[in-house]
Amino acid sequence: MIALFVKSPRFLDTTLRDGEQTPGVSLKPDDKLNIATLLSDIGVSVIEVGSAVASDGERESLRLISDAGLAAEICTFVRGVQLDIDYAADYGAESVHLVIPVSDLHIEKKLRKDREYVTQMAWDSVEYAKERGLIVELSGEDASRADQAYLYDLYAGGVERGADRICFCDTVGVMTPERASEIIPPLAALAPLSIHCHNDLGLGLATTLSAMKSGASCAHATVNGLGERAGNTPLEELVMSLEVLYGVKTGIRTDELYHLSTLVSRLTRVPLPTNKAIVGEMAFTHESGIHAHGILRDAATYEPIMPEMVGRRRRILLGKHSGSASVEAALSEMGYKTETRQLQEIVSRVKQLGDEGKRVTDSDLHAIAEAVLDISCTPVIRMKQFTTVSGNSVMPTASVTLTVNGEDITQASTGAGPVDAVIMALRKAVQDVGDITLEEYHVDAIYGGTDALVDVTVKLMKDGELITSRGARTDIIMASVEAMISGMNRLLREKDENRGKNTH
């Protein structure tokens, strides 16, 4: 009887092979090394580095990663062809993912061969790979649509000839979790078995979990679920499901999952869906009044895991769904204290902005609070104008004109980009009234599209006081300026202003 979930499951990450087959994705060798290094560092057992036979760039990537001294086993995809196996061995792979078509559809339509030919090809390739000193994972392509008796015999013969592992590929994502629980146990009794699922019908994760519960000791996955068509089983979702729902210790450093996800998204140029589980922008973001209220009292009310578990942080946005609790929490963070009637009025105005289709920024909330609390407070800084210039042959430059304590000040600066330049110019313009340092800059697109609303968060420090400020516009430079001006005003206000204790 095979135990439910092995004690120490293994993960073969195929982001650099199957993930790179996502249309439009092409990674340079250095990019592949960066991803492989982080995958190894977080505890992934095996990294599949492309297909060495495909190109010079793929062979360079394999050599580069094989020579990097990573803890993970370095694997490469091969067909049942001696040339593929030779390239794998010659360029430093420790193991091969030997993929053999096993369904009659693939055998007859793609290869135009018969079962006997494919069986012999598989067994001969296993023997040759072992002669070349490679660990062999014998993989059945389109296994979920294959004759299972034929598949069993092919695997069994491969194991007899030296295959170290076998892999069941649900190549077009048609296997159900229920069927996996029937098919996997007898195959897993032959040798350590991996499960490789695609997500064409949205069942990749569920089927992978079912296979692992039924005896599979290793799962193939990709970061962010990258892959052809609808992609593969997402590594981050699989790891957290095992850890949280089934209590399986995966050995993966989960607090690095978000870092890994954003690195892969940036290097592949495939943006994360905003509502994607675990790593999507909205995964730990709340606006609804009831939800935000519950979260502020106990995060477990509306979050299955703490965001810190995956290297993230919680965000509460203000809009038409916001309730008193979330607005009060935001006001408190800014230093405002309100009576019940004042809070109700502020909430009403926040909702009004939300009904107009706007997202309420820190600057908006400041303005609303100061109006409702009747605080007589003249901003230290007012923006009069700014310009930025950048291009492929122009050093990014920005000039700003601010009114600082009633005096117009103009400053200019260059930077690594237009945002960097305008932030440098703003800091120079206020240096006579306060030395403000930018401690952190973060930008998010709230939704997709070229007109995406951009949310900029800055952390500014003056004399040991650290504050967070935000700006939200469709223009990233405008959003950055808004966040900086709002934050600098808060830091530069007189100490005796006492805005947070108004009791009008």
Side-chain angles (χ1 to χ4, degrees):
M1 183 71 177
I2 296 174
L4 301 184
F5 291 117
V6 296
K7 186 175 181 181
S8 299
R10 301 168 74 251
F11 300 93
L12 182 150
D13 185 275
T14 182
T15 303
L16 303 182
R17 199 274 299 177
D18 231 347
E20 197 186 19
Q21 291 177 199
T22 302
V25 173
S26 181
L27 294 166
K28 301 174 187 175
D30 285 345
D31 293 338
K32 286 197 170 190
L33 177 60
N34 287 337
I35 294 171
T37 300
L38 187 50
L39 285 168
S40 179
D41 287 347
I42 72 169
V44 168
S45 305
V46 186
I47 300 170
E48 186 177 19
V49 185
S51 175
V53 77
S55 70
D56 289 338
E58 289 289 87
R59 290 187 282 279
E60 181 185 350
S61 296
L62 178 57
R63 171 62 71 194
L64 188 65
I65 294 170
S66 296
D67 289 346
L70 303 182
E73 176 188 306
I74 305 305
C75 177
T76 191
F77 173 99
V78 297
R79 301 165 298 172
V81 177
Q82 285 195 6
L83 178 63
D84 290 29
I85 296 167
D86 285 336
Y87 272 134
D90 293 343
Y91 283 85
E94 297 170 74
S95 64
V96 288
H97 181 205
L98 172 59
V99 179
I100 304 295
V102 292
S103 70
D104 289 333
L105 177 64
H106 277 231
I107 291 170
E108 295 170 7
K109 300 297 184 182
K110 186 173 78 170
L111 295 183
R112 297 186 179 180
K113 302 292 183 180
D114 56 28
R115 290 184 181 182
E116 290 72 24
Y117 176 91
V118 168
T119 300
Q120 196 61 51
M121 176 179 67
W123 294 350
D124 289 347
S125 297
V126 169
E127 290 178 335
Y128 185 69
K130 294 307 295 182
E131 289 174 11
R132 291 302 317 262
L134 294 161
I135 298 167
V136 177
E137 182 157 318
L138 175 59
S139 191
E141 184 181 16
D142 204 26
S144 49
R145 293 191 293 185
D147 177 89
Q148 295 304 301
Y150 168 69
L151 180 64
Y152 182 94
D153 290 341
L154 184 142
Y155 281 150
V159 172
E160 287 175 7
R161 288 160 178 80
D164 302 275
R165 308 187 289 256
I166 57 177
C167 177
F168 187 103
C169 290
D170 183 26
T171 302
V172 291
V174 294
M175 187 163 68
T176 63
E178 295 81 7
R179 189 155 177 262
S181 67
E182 298 171 358
I183 290 175
I184 295 301
L187 298 177
L190 288 171
L193 182 140
S194 301
I195 181 68
H196 178 113
C197 291
H198 282 254
N199 206 34
D200 294 78
L201 295 174
L203 291 175
L205 175 60
T207 302
T208 298
L209 288 169
S210 177
M212 296 186 79
K213 190 175 181 181
S214 303
S217 57
C218 179
H220 290 202
T222 60
V223 179
N224 302 334
L226 289 174
E228 289 187 278
R229 307 181 311 278
N232 294 42
T233 300
L235 176 68
E236 60 283 348
E237 295 177 23
L238 175 59
V239 167
M240 294 313 298
S241 293
L242 287 169
E243 291 268 359
V244 175
L245 301 180
Y246 296 98
V248 175
K249 299 301 181 184
T250 63
I252 298 295
R253 289 180 53 196
T254 63
D255 61 334
E256 288 291 331
L257 285 174
Y258 185 59
H259 178 200
L260 173 65
S261 172
T262 53
L263 173 70
V264 170
S265 178
R266 176 171 60 84
L267 294 179
T268 60
R269 295 183 175 86
V270 177
L272 293 169
T274 56
N275 63 338
K276 188 184 183 309
I278 311 298
V279 294
E281 183 57 38
M282 294 303 175
F284 298 99
T285 300
H286 309 269
E287 180 185 322
S288 170
I290 295 173
H291 285 204
H293 187 224
I295 285 292
L296 291 168
R297 289 191 170 183
D298 186 336
T301 52
Y302 288 103
E303 287 177 349
I305 63 173
M306 297 291 285
E308 292 78 11
M309 286 182 67
V310 292
R312 303 204 59 185
R313 62 181 182 178
R314 182 178 303 108
R315 299 172 66 217
I316 296 179
L317 305 183
L318 299 183
K320 66 180 180 180
H321 301 293
S322 298
S324 298
S326 53
V327 174
E328 186 175 27
L331 290 169
S332 178
E333 182 182 339
M334 294 177 178
Y336 294 106
K337 293 183 180 179
T338 61
E339 296 176 350
T340 301
R341 186 176 58 185
Q342 293 167 335
L343 178 60
Q344 289 175 345
E345 177 60 24
I346 293 171
V347 171
S348 175
R349 296 192 189 192
V350 166
K351 289 180 178 289
Q352 184 178 352
L353 280 178
D355 281 335
E356 293 172 3
K358 298 178 181 177
R359 178 160 175 264
V360 181
T361 67
D362 277 12
S363 297
D364 294 327
L365 190 58
H366 276 298
I368 293 170
E370 293 182 0
V372 170
L373 298 175
D374 192 25
I375 298 171
S376 58
C377 171
T378 303
V380 177
I381 306 167
R382 290 185 186 277
M383 170 62 74
K384 292 196 73 174
Q385 67 84 30
F386 75 89
T387 58
T388 60
V389 178
S390 66
N392 60 3
S393 60
V394 179
M395 172 71 76
T397 306
S399 65
V400 301
T401 300
L402 304 179
T403 301
V404 181
N405 287 330
E407 178 185 354
D408 286 354
I409 296 177
T410 299
Q411 285 286 0
S413 183
T414 59
V419 171
D420 184 48
V422 78
I423 287 176
M424 294 288 289
L426 288 170
R427 291 181 57 213
K428 288 171 65 176
V430 301
Q431 62 187 0
D432 288 342
V433 292
D435 181 19
I436 296 175
T437 59
L438 176 64
E439 299 296 314
E440 186 177 314
Y441 177 91
H442 183 75
V443 61
D444 294 304
I446 302 303
Y447 51 81
T450 56
D451 62 343
L453 184 67
V454 175
D455 177 31
V456 171
T457 303
V458 297
K459 285 187 178 180
L460 304 176
M461 181 176 285
K462 175 181 177 291
D463 300 331
E465 181 182 0
L466 182 68
I467 61 100
T468 300
S469 183
R470 290 186 176 91
R473 302 281 178 176
T474 55
D475 184 321
I476 189 173
I477 302 175
M478 285 290 296
S480 301
V481 169
E482 180 180 75
M484 289 292 294
I485 294 291
S486 174
M488 290 192 299
N489 264 320
R490 288 164 60 191
L491 285 172
L492 293 173
R493 282 175 178 151
E494 294 298 324
K495 295 292 185 183
D496 61 356
E497 203 173 87
N498 202 24
R499 74 174 191 273
K501 295 182 180 179
N502 187 288
T503 55
H504 289 317

